[in-house]
Amino acid sequence: MTRRRPEILAPAGDLDSMKAALASGADAIYFGLDEGFNARARAENFSLANLAETLALVHRAGARAYLTLNTLVFEPELPVVEDILRRVAEAGVDALIVQDPAIALVARAVCPQMEVHASTQMTISSAEGARFARGLGATRVVVPRELSVAEIRRLASETDIELEVFIHGALCMSWSGQCLTSEAWGGRSANRGQCAQSCRLPYDLVVDGQTRELGDVQYLLSPKDLAGVMAVPQLVDIGVHSLKIEGRQKGPQYVATAVQGYRRWVDGVAAGTPDTGALRRDLSDMTLSYSRGFSHGFFAGSDHQTLVEGRFPKHRGAFLGRVESVHGRDVRVVDDAEGRPWTGGLGQDDAPKRGDAPVGKVSSPLETAAPVAADVSPRPGMGVVFDDGHPEDKHEPGGPLFRVERKGSGWVLGFGNPGPDLARVKPGQRVWVTSDPALVKRTEELLERGEPEGRVPLELTVTGAAGAPLTVVGRARGGHVATVSSEVMLAESRGGGIDEALLRDKLAALGGTPFQLAGLDTSGLAAGLHLPVSEMKALRRRLVPKLAEAVARGPVRTVNAGSTLEPLRASLRERVTPTPRAVEDARLLPLCRTDEQLEAVIAAGLPEVELDWMELVGLQRAVERARAAGLRVTIATVRVQKPGEEGYDARIAKLKPDAVLVRHWGAMMHFLERPPAPGETRPALHADFSLNVTNSVTALHLLGLGLDTLTFAHDLDAVQLGAMLEHLPAERFTVTLHHHISTFHTEHCVYSHTLSHGRDYRSCGRPCEKQRVSLRDHKGLEHPVVVDVGCRNTVFNAQAQSAASLVPSLLTRGVRRFRVEFVRESREESARVLAAYQELLAGRISPAEAIRRAAVHEQFGVTKGTMKVLNPTFTVQR
């Protein structure tokens, strides 16, 4: 039985890649604009001025075009975004992929019929989060790469929103939308399309203050690439709507091989006739086009031993074997199964991790075929590289093969002169096949072909009676309808008359056009009628160009004229409930993660505390201790939450906190939708930085939903923050005054990978409960790694950041909530930091003095970080 086939969604970073994807059979293309607001700013991208032409190319090929406006938007940019959205809607884009809720809201105001997809950058990881996306008008969610097949199945069963799943390409080490490394370390935010790929850098492992030698394993945060072929049968069975290929910064060869391979595999799986032989050949092509080594990613759940190879951060291609010996210009290579892409099939996944929170279990086993590996045999002309343990070297020994001879379980590889420096090639080194000129030629031939034909479904309805014209109505995807009528009237036929076969042959001969006949309805055509064949052909020649032009323009929509931004802000502002109490004096909000830090807060005499007990162990005891000291208690949720982990929020609710610091959309919806028990009041809801609020439209929408306060996103600088406050009630916002910015938030566990042989929490032995790990970067900075209840790792920046210099202006603007976050500070260190900022807020010391006092315990010092003043003309406005 044929099952519904998911869409193959291909990346396009330039025009050749787009053409390669269309020629290879992609159902949809996603791409970004030169004008920005897309998460791959370094790709070549496409011009807004030529967008209509680009979309026509996609639509004529029978594909859909998705535009990536998937970054955060700053306040001054909202009018620019509105203008782009209007022009995009008029050009005929099929859907937008968005991260910032503001873009979704503005897009729907500009064009109510605009289709919106929630990007994986929005971090929608549960059914509760999907309800938030639905409220923005989204019809599809791009699920995080961290979800297993079992978790995707559960998510699909709990929501009717479309699901799009990454199936192939590079894996981000951090949860998308939750990576702040580029912002913290380089001033170029990944949430703004400027990822610096910090995960691909080398790091030293520091365990309990001592460097742990790991040999040639240096790239501790660089995951292998995803090849999710073995998950396709389950994803088809689940009914996911789209399978997405990553790669907008890669070329047409990569795009063509990936689309062709998944096109064949998905079609075969959906039809019940999968061809594993063809899959092996396709995987070989994909491996040689670009691969850091393939893995199942998280489709089978976490596997901390296989996700990261750790020996290289870049393209390696196909593993061939190891060097046995070198003789002149010949290298003897022996086969070695160690480097094969897969050593096992997909397994099981259980959602509950560490801690004792009552969590729902996701544990249905995945029934899969035997694992399939790429099958690469070296041939003359192919490129190879010898892995000498220095992947950062741009001149690793390697080059094209001149001769290949099979010898037993290995090969003799012959090289020309000039060729690789074989003096650097030693026995035991790994050998990789990196390229194949046959693939280059095949891609070139693909691009030389004309536009694909016959891919747009066309339905024809034919009506007519004697003495009347023959009328043909054509309907094509996108709501396009065209009608033509014959100039010659129908007459009684002397023979058999017009029948379906004749109409198919003469009227519906669609060769050389974008169309294929999807249906022919002749129920409205009387029998026994005649019309000259030339007239039928004339009808086709009039109908097809008319529909082709309409299809090229994209879906039929209404685009509102005039600015919608201010009316939208006004309508959102009407939903915001005013603050019920007078604006308080400036308040310091300490966020603690240990008992020692909590004791420092109590000793400082502060009225409230935020508890982020990342493992949840001992949380109830901490709540009781804080309450006994008379403090108001806020409990922080986990950073992200997967299907089956709703028990984390339920446990927080049982502790009856005064407030909850919500860190993901699912938690926000959970507490907004949860009615308080009789006699109780709902806890106050404070949004943390991880909701990525960077403009007034998003902020007003969230306040209107019922959040009490919001935290400014870490992507903002002083100017951007000030611009937001022009439109917002300042007393409803929190500024993070002092913190070690959380750079990575990752599903991969560094502890398990480096300190155990365990696949996941069930077999790792939990080294995180006994040891402390940090990662030392190339500058010598040591970044703490802390594990949460979901076994997720957060890598905190070695250097603390302070916004102390902005405090006087923020106080003048009406900001009253200032958070100070601790990670591993002792009681004494925490006390010094709190005292410094208490004095600052009271006006008794200067910002510079506050930073000096707060930095006493800091090994690496305190920086201005993301809250630096970039524009010297920034002034305080009341």
Side-chain angles (χ1 to χ4, degrees), residues 357-360 616 641 644-654 670:
V359 181
L616 297 187
Q641 187 165 285
E645 295 181 347
E646 294 79 7
Y648 295 148
D649 291 335
R651 176 172 178 177
I652 289 173
K654 287 183 179 179
H670 177 89

Side-chain angles (χ1 to χ4, degrees), residues 756-775:
S756 85
H757 298 289
R759 171 182 182 268
D760 56 18
Y761 73 99
R762 291 165 293 197
S763 55
C764 70
R766 302 185 178 181
C768 57
E769 296 178 356
K770 311 174 189 71
Q771 296 172 296
R772 278 188 169 186
V773 162
S774 298
L775 298 178

Side-chain angles (χ1 to χ4, degrees), residues 12-14 32-34 38-46 193 248-250:
D14 57 34
L33 293 174
D34 292 332
N38 84 84
R40 291 294 180 268
R42 288 184 293 164
E44 187 172 314
N45 296 310
F46 294 82
R248 284 194 284 144
Q249 291 181 187
K250 299 187 176 73

